[in-house]
Structure formats: C-alpha cells, structure tokens
C-alpha cells in the first residue's frame, strides 16, 4: 500500500473543491467501529426478515406469486362484500334487507377464507424452515449473535405475524367499508367498534394456531414437497375424521376427535367470539364448552412451541 | 499456442517408468500375486476417447495408456477428470473411441471388475452397515472363495480393525473413506481407480495410505488416482496426466514436462556469501537471461537450465563465493500445473 | 495432566519470510492476554471422547489446528463458538467464558463451516447483509460492511447473481465473507480449501494469509493438509485422540536439521564418492544426496567437488523438519519450540476411546 | 459362490436398506389406516359394514399400490440416485441378478405389510375365513406384480415415484372409472380378478376374469424383470465434470 495517507485528508482551503495537492486514500481493510446492537436487535431483524420472506419480498418475482396471489384471493370476497353493502345503502330502505343478507359479515369472513389461509401456511412455512435445514444454513445462523431459541422465536413469530396480516386485511377492508359507506360515520363507528376485540382475538388465534402447526411440521420435514403435503394432511384430515366420527359414532369418543381438528376449534372460537351458531356439525354435535376450545387452541400453541424449541436445541447445525 | 514446444504425443506410449524410488515406509502385508493382465495389454488405455452431452464436449479425443505404477490425474474443476474416471470404470459409454481395462472393453462388460478396484468419490457408503459387513458384502459380490478372510485382510490394510464392528454411519469422514477403499480393494485387483482417495483423511492416515498405494504399485499394479492436493500427487505419482477443458494438456514425469516448457525460462534463487559478486561473475554467460538482487537473495532466470547448472559451481569457485542454497523456484508440480492450465 | 503448553509468540522469521503479525498490543492497547485459552477442557460423547483434558493458550496470529479424524477439531471449534456445552474444564475466548457468554462471543468471532451452507436462491449481497444483521450490525452498517468484505474476498459483479450458480471457489469466498462481515477479532475456518481445485486452493490460501497478516485478524484454521499449514500458519496446535499432541510456533517445528540435500542432473554416485573421500558422509534420499554440513568450509567442499566433476548443480537445499514428523510413527517427534512439552504421542488405533 | 448366494447377498443388504427406522414406521402407519377404520366401525358403528367393500377400497386400492410404490421405487432407484448403487454395478455379476434380487425383496416386503393389514382388518370386520385367504393370495400376487413394475420404472427414470403415483391415481383410479378399456392394463383389476376367482363374491363384478388377470400379471412380471435388467445393463452414471 502506498503511503498511509489518513483516510479523508482534509481538503485544502480553496473552497473545499478537489484537493489541489491530490491525495491517495487507503483502500485497505477498515475495521468496523460502528454500533453493535446485540442479540435482541438480531432477533427483531430476523423476525422482520421472516415476514418479508414469507411474502417473497426481497426475493425474485417468482417467490411473490403464491403469497400475493393467495392474499389477493383473501381480499376479493371482502371487497365484493363492501361493494354490495355500498350499493345496498345507496338504495335506502329496500337496501337494508340486502345489507343484512350480505354473505360476509365479520364472523363469517374467517370461515370464508379458511381454505386460503391453510394453503398459504402449507405453501410458505416450508419456504422458511426447510431451506435452512436442507442447505445447512442453520450453521451460519447459530454461529452468530443469536441463541437457538432466538432463531425459533423469530421464525415462528415472523410467520404468525405474516398470517395475521393475511387474515386481518379482509376484516379491515370490511370494517372500513362499513364505516365509509355509512351516512353517519360517527354513529357507524360507534356500533362497529365493540366488534373490534372479537376480530383481533380470532385473528390472533387463527394466526397463532395455524402458524405454529405449519412451522412445526416443516421443521421436521426439510424437503419442501413433503412438508407442504404434511401440513395439508395435518390441517385437512382431522376435520374429515371428526366428520366421520360424528356420523358413524354415537358414543362420546367422537366428541373429542373434534379437538384434533384445528379447523373446527377455530370455528368454535369464532362462533363464541361473535356469538353466532358454529357452522360445523361436529362442533355442534360435540357441544363442548367454549373454554375447552380456547384451552385447546392455546395449549396446542404452547406444546408446538416446546416441540420446536426442543427440535432446534438438538438439531446438529 | 503450444506449438512452441513439441508435446511428446507418444506413439509407442512410454510405459509409466517403473518407480525408481524404493517404496518407502511400511510395506503392506504380502498380498497374493495379482492375477496377470492379458498379455501385452496395458492396465488402462484410452484410444481417441471422447464424450459429449449434446453440444457440451466433456472429454475431447484423449489417448493414453498406463502400465504398472502410480499415475496422478490432475485438472481444474470441470476439466473432465470425473468423466474420464467414469468411462474407465465402465459406468459411462465413450461417445467415440475405445476405453479398455486390461485389454477388455470397459463399457457394458461386468467381467472387467474382476481385475478392477474402484474407489469413486461420489459413492455414498450405506450408513446402516458396519465396516466389516460392507467389506464382506463387496467380497461376496466378487464371488471370492473366502469373503470373510478377504474382508478382514482389506480392513487390516486400511487400519480399520478397531472400528470394524461399528456402523459406518458413526464413522468420521476419513474413516468412511477408508471403508470405501477397503471395499474397493477386497478382491485384490491388479488395476485401481481412485477418485480423490484421501479426501477427509487426517495426516497420519494420509501418510499410511500413500505408503500403501506406493507398496501396491511396486507389486506391479496399475494405479490411477485423481486429486486436487498437489503435494500428495508430487509424492505419490510416478507420472501425471493433466486434463484441461476436456483435452490432454500433458502426460509423463512432471519434471520432464517442465523441461519441455522452453517458452518459460527457469527461475533459480541462490543464497551465497556475496550475491552481488556472484551475479557479476554469472552475467557474462549466455545462459543467464536475467538477474535480480532482492530480499530473497540472487534470482537468476535462465533459458538453458542444464548449461547454467554446470556453470554455477565453476563460476562460484572462480570468484571464491560460498554457495549456501540453490532453489529452483518454479519447478514444483504446483508451478507446472499452473503453467499448463493458464495457457 | 499434560503440561499446558504456554508459548509466547514473537515475530519469527520463517522460511526466509518475516511473519507479518508481531505481538502487537490490540487496538485498545491492552496487553494481549491469550486470545483463546482452555483449561483441562474435556468433551465426552456416548462412547467417544472428543476432547480429553486439553489445556492450551492460543495467541493472535494465524494458528493451524491439526488433528486425527474425530480428534475433536470440529468439537473444539463448536465449543469455542459456545454452540455445544462442555463435559468438564473451561475455555475462554477474548476473555469471555464459552459456557455462558455464547452470543456475546459470537459477536466478535467469525465462523466458516466446512460443508456447503449457502441457500442457492439468494444473491451473495443479500445473504451477507442479512447475516451481518444477525450479528447485531444496524441496517446501513451491514450494507457498507458487506460491500467492503465482498470486495476483499474478490467477488465483484457476481455478488448480484444467485449463489446457486456459483463455482465451488466462489461459494468458499462467500462463506469467508459472511464470517468477516461483522469485523470479528477471531476467525474460525474449518478446512477452507475443501473441495477446491489447485487454482482455487492457492487463491483461498492467499486470501487467508492476507486476512490474517494484512487485516490483523486472528485466525484459527482447522485443516488436514500439513502443506497448507506450513505455508500459511505462524503457530500450530496438534490434537491426537482428543489430547494435546503439540502446540508450538511453526518456526520451531520446521527448523533446519543440519542436513543439506544436494541434487545434480546426473552422476550422483561420482559425487557421493567424491564427497565421502573428502570426509563428508552422504546418504541417498530419492533424487538427492543428504550431506551433513555444519560449517562454512563444508559448503565450499561440496561446491568444489561438483565443479571438479563438471556436474550440473540443480538444487542445494537445507533439509528442514516437517510437520509430518509429528504424525509419522517411525520418526520420534522431537520436542521442538520453546516449551512445547508434549503428551506422549498416542499410537494410532490404541488407547481408550481413540477414534482415529 | 453360486448365483443364488450372490442374489441372497444383495437381497439381505436391500432388506436392511429398505427397512430403515423411519420408513418402517411410515409404512406401518399406512398399513394401520384400514385397521383403524375397521376398529372404529366395529366399536362405534351399529351394523357391520360391507367388509369386502372396505377391503377393496382401503387394502387393494390404497395400501397395496402405495406400499409397492414406496418399496418398489426405493429398492433400486434410491441406490442409483444416492450413489450406493455403484457398489453393485461395479461387480462381475450379471445385471439380472441385481434386478431379480431387488424385485423379490420389494415384493416380499410389500406383501408382508399389506397382507398383515388385510388379515387384521378382515378379522375386525368379521370376514369369512375363505374370503380372507382369497385376499391374502390376491395381495401376494398383486404385491409382486406392482413391485416388478415399479422397480423396472425406477431404473428407467429418476421420476419413478411420480410416474407410479400417476399410474395408480389416474390410470387405475380415475380413468378406470371412465374408460372400461383401461381395466385390461390395471394391476388392481388383475388382483381383484384373482381374489374373485379364489372366493367368488356375492355380486359378480364386471372386472377382469381370472384368465385375463393372470396373463396381465405374468406379462408384467416377465416384461418388468427383462426390461429392468436390460436397462440396468445400459445404466450410465449422470454427468460429473
């Protein structure tokens, strides 16, 4: 290296233009003396990175097709509902009947987009975890300022938030649609607000439960195709069994199979939160108290979280 | 570009010169005499062999023939080494030309494996078998009269008795490699093909394996092995085959090859009692192309190595300068390889 | 308990080339305590003892870590990274205890794994920037460091292409870059030239040497290839069967043996006879003749003998001890270096839990 | 070392390779599904369901083809893909020894898993002894036919699993419903044909008769083995630099 001219030699006095004397700057290796933000920052960075990856942001166009496609399919029914509502309100009294009959109210919205959420989980969760295991990227993560638990928390948390966005977006559209299309916005806001906690509550349960299932399954199956198939199986098959059990069996054995089906548990909590009749035969037949469903949902999340932590504690990087 | 020096495209292929260096180190236990190859045939022979995949030519018209001794197969990644090894192992058909093992066509001819031992780099070893089971499995498939004894001998040769009854899944990378070698040698073949045989082995095992292969070569076996570790090739191989972009770039003893590179003057570093005085004495001679006095002593570039080598001691004595070191800098296999693949 | 080999490392001349790193005090001008220090460190897996009572101090510089298969090389690296727990004994990295300061240690330590560990669909820039964030660097700090580090490892426009299409050589550079991006004080490289062709190996070794000597970053290189260690490292730690076999500066292990190898184009026998006649016993060694030379005039005797016979002097080189002697059974490993008391070398395949 | 002992050596190694812990559990679960359904309907159901219908649906249409598919394609195909197959190819033994050993092992393992599942399910459903024997015979014959086909496919293409799935789900499943002609090439129909011949069902099905079934099975056994052996003889290791 030529003479070690201090980096950024002060320009000479002639108005800060190009230094008349000319100087060569040291392009050698510069040490980093900026801030080091430690473990917490790394965890948050990984969580935001996970959310972006789930939606294919920062990846090629191809990675965006599935997530954005499914998200769009989730929003379309909400937009349609809002359009119907707006027309109905324009039509005055006659429209009121139409508004009531509108297929999509807050409580039924979750049911309508359930299939889309399942597909989203089955398609995107393997994208996050499978790749790190299949290509041994884990050894790069674990050799950094992260503990193994941080990695798990960031991945599950990030994925659950991504699902939350997917689920709450249509609700938000319907919520805003109702308010903006109402003649008296303040009044409309008044009677829509009490529904908000139910919407958010059900959103959190859906994102948490389905997110945890999808992430846990794909943590154990690094190959993408098998992981997607496994997630679909875990979410789709139990409701079928619950259905068969309800028809075939009279004894109470069948009642408990409903708890194995995430779909039915969420239908039950949705029904209780919005206090409407659950539109699922096994749930009606099982006639279990709402607290059982909430306990099952939250219990499942805790158990799955523990399984995940143990898996990543023992995985060899 | 390589017209400047005649690459010896040997008509009568020089048999790889029988190793002149005595086989150092411990001789492998006296194995039974290898079954004789067909009379007059070479262990491994390629005759204008080529291989392409669509328009991609992986191996382009290569001919060589190898007799007893150790030959190193060298070349950058993607040069065609593995394709050559696969064709020689009868696992890949040449698009044109002939590939023969002990005189027999290699492709679609399972009987060659009676004489051919293989240690492919890619071959995974079944993790659920123990070392002994794997060796016996190979021995039985070779229809050996006493597979158990053959397996035991092969495991002893690669120093794996201690771990023979543990499953291969629990072996380290180096030990898995030795299990593979045991599997490939169990039928005591006269011809050996090894693809990066020492991959993952630790220094002690590496030395042991080098001694083993040297000993087997001195028993008259024909050994061809590919490797990226030039220090090992320099120590183990009698001759080298350098493949570059699917073509045979050089073949034979790498020191001879270096001498053939008349387009590259030889560089020699000399440490003496008085470098400057020695330099002035050497300059007048026509064999001296250039002289440099630097921190690494007196660097001389010479077009005619032999003449300069005879001149040096006489000139030094005349000038009364004591010589401490004379080191040819660019004659190592590393340099020769770099020159061959950089054209 | 084998004596801990504490060897202070000073600027040493080796192979006629001064090692670039001297015992400088570190950037904060504190006297340098050992970079890495283990005290009777032991790690047992069911049925296998990976590390057995290992006590060694490692100083800044490029340190070669050599060991027999399964001798605990990668186990030691994982312990230094705080990734696996310790059966007994202790270890400190940059004065931080590995047993409870894992994440903090890893902020200042870079790790280049041996196996391929890169997602194929990301570009080098995106991956290294992301991993910089994982080491606690803020967003723009990460971006700047990534650009700087990718330049140093020699990845220019390829850094914007997906890693899946990279050659093995380029992948190894990305792995080195991600280990350097957070400006670590210590770099742990696990067989950095694994899978590279000769050209690639040469470039990677030059890169490691530059990183260690020009960038002033301490490096521990785990490798099976003694030639590489001799070329790049200043200090050696050899482990055999989980126990410390040798810990000493390279200079002490590859010192001269007092013998000189003389190689002539032809006519070795004549030269051998001439030298013997002049009182210099000769032993043949492959192409060369080994002559015991212990004085200045002895060199002249050799020169004059060759001149008299009119032979062509091709090579005159002092024979050095090599690292191999540590591992060669027939050559007793002579204790080299200042105070490198060594445990008796464990014969292969014997001893409890020997896993070689 | 006669041919038989070579084939037996390969077979032994293949048994060990196929019955790894994970795959055995997975295939065990698959074989358990019909048993569960039978248990459920016996415990919780009122009348006894039509046992032959359940056996046909769950054993012959699902467990048999899927088990044969997994074992058939992995017996040889997975070894060719991950490189352990090279140890077999580089031996002075005829290729048909290798293919035969693989087919026999895949056939046996498939037959065992499926037959056990069929018997337990049959007992739970209270199936008559004679019908049960018919199903076991059908399962064994079907297992070897399917195994031969899938081993042969696994030598021809690396996508054997997909090809197998397409055959069982589309050709034997969906198409058979629409185009009756496909029955003559459906191993499922052949298996059912054998079963019906051994113990005629109450209602005569319009599937393949015994003669049609046996010809198809023999053709598959012979063609599969010969084609597999020839293809293996010309098997080339992929690429390499």
């Amino acid at each position: 290296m030529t003479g070690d001219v201090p980096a950024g030699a002060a320009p000479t006095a002639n108005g800060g233009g190009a230094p008349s004397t000319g100087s060569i700057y040291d392009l050698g290796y510069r040490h980093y003396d900026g801030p080091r933000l430690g473990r917490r920052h790394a965890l948050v960075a990984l969580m935001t990175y996970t959310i972006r990856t789930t939606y294919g942001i920062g990846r090629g166009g191809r990675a965006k097709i599935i997530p954005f496609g499914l998200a769009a399919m989730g929003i379309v029914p909400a937009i349609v509902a809002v359009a119907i509502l707006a027309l109905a309100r324009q039509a005055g009294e006659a429209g009121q009947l139409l508004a009531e009959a509108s297929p999509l109210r807050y409580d039924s919205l979750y049911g309508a987009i359930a299939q889309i959420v399942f597909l989203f989980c089955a398609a995107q969760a393997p994208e996050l975890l499978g790749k790190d295991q299949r290509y041994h990227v884990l050894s790069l993560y674990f050799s950094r300022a992260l503990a193994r638990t941080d990695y798990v928390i960031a991945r599950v948390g990030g994925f659950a938030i991504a699902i939350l966005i997917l689920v709450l977006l249509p609700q938000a559209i319907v919520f805003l649609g109702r308010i903006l299309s109402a003649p008296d916005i303040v009044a409309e806001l008044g009677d829509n607000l009490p529904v908000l906690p139910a919407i958010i509550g059900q959103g959190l349960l859906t994102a948490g439960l389905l997110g945890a299932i999808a992430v846990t399954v794909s943590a154990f199956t690094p190959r993408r195709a098998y992981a997607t198939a496994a997630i679909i199986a875990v979410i789709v098959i139990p409701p079928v069994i619950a259905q068969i059990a309800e028809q075939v069996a009279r004894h109470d054995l069948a009642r408990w199979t409903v708890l194995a089906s995430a779909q039915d548990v969420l239908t039950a909590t949705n029904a209780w939160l919005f206090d409407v009749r659950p539109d699922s035969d096994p749930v009606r037949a099982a006639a279990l108290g709402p607290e059982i469903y909430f306990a099952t949902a939250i219990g499942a999340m805790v158990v799955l979280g523990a399984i995940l932590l143990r898996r990543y504690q023992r995985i060899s990087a | 570009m390589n017209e400047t020096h005649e690459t010896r495209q040997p008509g009568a292929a020089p048999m790889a010169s029988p190793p002149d260096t005595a086989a150092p180190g411990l001789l492998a236990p006296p194995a039974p005499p290898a079954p004789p190859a067909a009379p007059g045939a070479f262990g491994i022979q390629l005759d204008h062999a080529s291989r392409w995949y669509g328009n991609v030519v992986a191996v382009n018209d290569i001919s060589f023939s190898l007799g007893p001794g150790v030959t190193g197969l060298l070349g950058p990644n993607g040069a065609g080494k593995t394709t050559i090894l696969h064709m020689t192992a009868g696992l890949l058909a040449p698009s044109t030309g002939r590939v023969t093992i002990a005189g027999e066509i290699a492709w679609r001819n399972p009987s060659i494996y009676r004489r051919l031992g293989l240690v492919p780099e890619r071959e995974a070893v079944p993790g659920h078998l123990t070392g002994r089971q794997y060796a016996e499995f190979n021995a039985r498939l070779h229809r050996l009269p006493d597979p158990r004894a053959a397996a035991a001998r092969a495991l002893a040769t690669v120093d794996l008795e201690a771990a023979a009854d543990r499953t291969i899944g629990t072996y380290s990378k180096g030990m898995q490699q030795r299990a593979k070698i045991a599997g490939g040698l169990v039928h005591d073949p006269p011809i050996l093909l090894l693809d990066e045989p020492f991959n993952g082995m630790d220094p002690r095992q590496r030395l042991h394996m080098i001694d083993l292969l040297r000993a087997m070569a001195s028993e008259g076996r024909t050994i061809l092995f590919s490797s990226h570790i030039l220090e090992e090739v320099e120590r183990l191989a009698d001759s080298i085959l350098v493949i570059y972009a699917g073509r045979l770039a050089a073949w034979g003893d790498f020191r001879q090859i270096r001498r053939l590179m008349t387009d590259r003057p030889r560089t020699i570093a000399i440490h003496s009692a008085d470098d400057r005085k020695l330099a002035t004495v050497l300059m007048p001679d026509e064999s001296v192309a250039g002289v440099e006095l630097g921190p690494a002593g007196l660097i001389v570039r010479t077009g005619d190595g032999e003449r300069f080598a005879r001149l040096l001691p006489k000139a030094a004595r005349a000038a009364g300068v004591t010589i401490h070191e004379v080191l040819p800098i660019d004659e190592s296999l590393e340099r020769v390889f770099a020159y061959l693949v950089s054209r | 308990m084998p004596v801990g080999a504490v060897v202070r490392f000073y600027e040493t001349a080796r192979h006629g080339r001064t090692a670039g790193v001297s015992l400088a005090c570190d950037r904060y001008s504190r006297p340098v305590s050992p970079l890495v220090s283990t005290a009777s460190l032991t790690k047992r897996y069911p049925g296998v003892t990976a590390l057995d009572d290992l006590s060694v101090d490692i100083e800044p510089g490029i340190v070669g870590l050599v060991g027999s298969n399964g001798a605990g090389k990668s186990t030691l690296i994982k312990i230094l990274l705080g990734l696996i727990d310790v059966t007994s004994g202790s270890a400190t990295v940059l004065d931080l205890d590995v047993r409870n300061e894992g994440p903090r240690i890893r902020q200042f330590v870079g790790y280049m794994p041996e196996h391929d560990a890169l997602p194929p669909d990301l570009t080098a820039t995106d991956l290294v920037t992301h991993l910089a964030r994982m080491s606690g660097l803020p967003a723009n700090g990460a971006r700047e460091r990534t650009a700087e580090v990718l330049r140093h490892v020699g990845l220019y426009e390829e850094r914007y292409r997906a890693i899946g299409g990279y050659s093995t050589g380029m992948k190894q550079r990305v792995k080195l870059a991600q280990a350097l991006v957070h400006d670590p004080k210590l770099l742990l490289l696990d067989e950095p030239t694994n899978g590279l062709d000769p050209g690639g190996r040469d470039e990677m070794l030059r890169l490691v040497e530059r990183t260690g000597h020009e960038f002033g970053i301490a490096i521990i290189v785990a490798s099976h290839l003694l030639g590489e260690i001799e070329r790049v490292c200043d200090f050696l730690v050899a482990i055999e069967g989980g126990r410390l076999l040798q810990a000493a500066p390279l200079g002490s292990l590859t010192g001269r043996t007092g013998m000189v190898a003389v190689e002539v184009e032809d006519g070795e026998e004549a030269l051998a006879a001439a030298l013997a006649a002049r009182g210099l016993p000769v032993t043949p060694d492959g192409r060369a003749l080994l002559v015991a030379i212990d004085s200045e005039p002895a060199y002249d005797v050799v020169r004059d003998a060759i001149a008299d016979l009119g032979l062509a002097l091709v090579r005159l080189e002092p024979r050095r001890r090599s690292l191999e002697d540590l591992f060669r059974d027939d050559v007793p490993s002579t204790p080299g270096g200042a105070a490198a008391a060594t445990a008796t070398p464990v014969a292969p395949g014997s001893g409890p839990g020997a896993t070689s | 070392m006669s041919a038989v002992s070579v084939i037996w050596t390969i077979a032994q190694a293949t048994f060990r390779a196929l019955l790894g812990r994970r795959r055995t559990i997975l295939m065990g679960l698959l074989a358990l599904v019909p048993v569960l359904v039978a248990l459920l309907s016996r415990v919780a159901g009122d009348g006894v369901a039509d046992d032959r219908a359940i056996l046909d649906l769950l054993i012959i249409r699902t467990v048999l083809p899927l088990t044969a598919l997994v074992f058939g394609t992995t017996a040889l195909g997975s070894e060719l893909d991950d490189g352990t197959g090279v140890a077999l190819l580089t031996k002075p033994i005829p290729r048909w020894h290798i293919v035969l050993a693989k087919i026999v092992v895949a056939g046996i393992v498939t037959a065992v898993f499926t037959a056990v599942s069929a018997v337990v399910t049959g007992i739970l459903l209270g199936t008559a002894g004679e019908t049960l024997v018919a199903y076991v015979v059908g399962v064994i014959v079907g297992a070897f036919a399917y195994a031969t086909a899938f081993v042969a496919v696994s030598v021809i293409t690396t996508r054997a699993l997909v090809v197998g799935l397409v055959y069982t789900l589309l050709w034997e499943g969906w198409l058979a419903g629409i185009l009756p002609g496909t029955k003559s090439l459906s191993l499922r129909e052949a298996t059912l044909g054998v079963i019906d011949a051994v113990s005629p069902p109450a209602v005569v099905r319009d599937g393949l008769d015994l003669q049609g079934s046996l010809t198809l099975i023999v053709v598959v056994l012979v063609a599969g083995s010969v084609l597999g052996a020839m293809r293996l003889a010309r098997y080339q290791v992929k690429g390499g630099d």
Side-chain angles (χ1 to χ4, degrees), chain B residues 74-237:
Chain B
L74 307 179
N77 284 341
K81 294 196 308 296
T82 312
T83 310
I84 289 174
L85 286 174
H86 283 158
M87 287 197 289
T88 328
L91 296 167
L92 192 60
S95 306
T96 62
R98 261 163 33 100
V99 176
T100 60
I101 295 287
E104 285 183 54
I105 289 285
W107 169 240
R108 286 193 71 173
N109 177 10
S111 71
I112 61 166
Y113 300 117
R114 244 190 288 283
R115 286 203 184 78
L116 179 61
L118 265 162
V119 182
E121 199 251 343
R122 206 176 65 81
E123 177 200 339
V125 188
H128 54 277
L129 296 179
T130 71
R132 193 181 306 284
Q133 284 165 342
Y134 179 68
E136 274 172 27
F137 170 72
N138 281 288
R140 280 209 186 81
L141 292 185
H142 275 295
R143 301 164 180 252
L144 298 181
D146 181 354
R148 199 174 298 280
R153 196 171 56 246
L155 289 168
T157 314
V158 294
D159 186 16
L160 258 184
E161 294 112 325
D165 296 315
R166 268 176 33 208
T167 59
I168 295 177
T170 63
Y171 283 9
S172 69
K173 199 170 153 195
M175 289 161 72
Q176 277 182 18
Q177 190 64 22
R178 285 189 281 148
K180 260 201 298 200
I181 291 177
L185 301 179
V186 73
H187 56 305
D188 197 14
I191 302 161
L192 277 172
L193 270 181
L194 305 108
D195 194 351
E196 306 218 15
F198 310 122
N199 200 354
M201 283 193 195
D202 69 42
R204 194 180 293 277
Q205 291 157 359
R206 227 171 256 275
L207 291 173
H208 181 71
M209 277 300 129
I210 288 177
D211 295 342
L212 171 69
L213 289 182
R214 278 233 63 79
M216 296 182 92
S218 63
E219 289 161 1
R221 296 175 206 270
T222 305
I223 298 178
L224 175 64
F225 77 105
S226 81
S227 173
H228 284 316
I229 320 290
L230 297 185
E231 297 93 343
E232 279 158 19
V233 176
E234 197 164 349
R235 171 191 304 239
L236 177 55

Side-chain angles (χ1 to χ4, degrees), chain D:
Chain D
M1 284 280 289
S2 64
V4 170
S5 64
V6 165
I7 293 175
W8 170 237
T9 310
I10 301 174
Q12 257 179 323
T14 312
F15 272 121
R16 243 194 234 108
L18 278 188
L19 299 176
R21 206 169 56 84
R22 212 174 207 189
R23 185 177 294 119
T24 317
I25 296 170
L26 200 67
M27 300 320 287
L29 286 177
L30 178 65
L32 215 57
V33 167
V35 173
L36 273 181
V37 171
L39 192 69
L40 208 61
S41 71
R42 183 183 174 83
V43 164
D46 35 30
V48 167
D50 168 2
D51 60 348
R52 277 189 89 113
I54 289 188
L55 282 173
D56 283 356
L57 172 67
L58 291 180
I59 302 285
I60 306 303
R61 286 180 200 281
T62 346
V63 169
L64 176 61
L66 288 183
T67 312
L69 185 61
V70 168
F71 288 127
T73 50
T74 12
L76 184 51
S78 66
E79 283 190 12
L80 292 178
D81 294 345
D82 69 15
T84 40
V86 172
L88 288 175
L89 294 174
T90 56
K91 292 295 182 300
I93 46 177
R95 304 300 108 164
W96 65 269
H97 284 192
I98 302 173
V99 171
L100 191 64
K102 295 291 179 181
I103 287 174
V104 164
V105 169
I108 291 173
V109 172
T110 307
V112 164
F113 272 82
T114 318
V116 164
S117 171
V119 166
V120 174
T121 312
I123 292 168
L124 284 173
L125 293 172
T127 317
E130 199 214 35
T131 319
L132 218 49
V133 166
Y135 271 89
V136 168
V137 166
V139 157
I140 292 172
V141 169
F144 277 93
Y146 271 116
T148 309
F150 291 138
V151 167
V153 167
S154 74
V155 181
I156 293 162
T157 159
T158 52
R159 288 270 181 279
L161 200 64
V162 174
V163 168
L165 274 174
V166 164
Y167 173 73
T168 46
L169 300 182
L170 292 185
W171 181 268
E172 291 196 332
W174 181 59
L175 272 180
I178 302 168
L179 311 169
T182 60
K183 284 196 168 52
S184 58
L185 278 178
S186 154
L187 286 176
R188 167 187 302 165
E189 293 306 323
T191 315
L192 290 170
V194 167
I195 295 174
D196 294 351
V198 173
S199 136
V203 166
V204 176
R205 273 184 336 95
D206 62 357
L208 283 173
D209 58 12
L210 177 62
Q211 205 256 340
S213 308
L214 287 184
T215 34
L216 175 62
I217 286 172
V218 165
V219 161
V220 164
L221 287 177
V222 170
S225 317
V226 168
L227 192 65
M230 278 165 41
R231 195 70 183 79
L232 191 61
R234 277 184 291 104
Y235 177 80
Q236 299 196 58
V237 173
K238 277 172 290 310
D241 59 354

Side-chain angles (χ1 to χ4, degrees), chain B residues 77 172-175 200-202 204-205 228 235 255 259 309-310 317 321-327, chain C residues 68-69 114 168 197-198 224 240 256 287 296 299-300 303-304 308 310 313 316-317 324 327 329 355:
Chain B
N77 284 341
S172 69
K173 199 170 153 195
M175 289 161 72
M201 283 193 195
D202 69 42
R204 194 180 293 277
Q205 291 157 359
H228 284 316
R235 171 191 304 239
R255 291 171 192 82
R259 284 197 187 81
R310 289 189 198 287
R317 183 170 60 177
V321 173
T322 311
I323 302 175
H324 299 126
E325 282 187 39
V326 175
L327 295 174
Chain C
S68 53
N69 267 115
E114 175 212 348
T168 7
D197 63 19
H224 283 315
E240 182 101 51
R256 298 179 181 224
R287 293 176 193 282
E296 210 45 20
Y299 281 105
D300 292 344
R303 179 199 63 194
D304 297 347
D308 290 347
L313 173 59
L316 184 64
E317 186 183 7
E324 264 176 31
F327 293 95
D329 301 341
T355 59

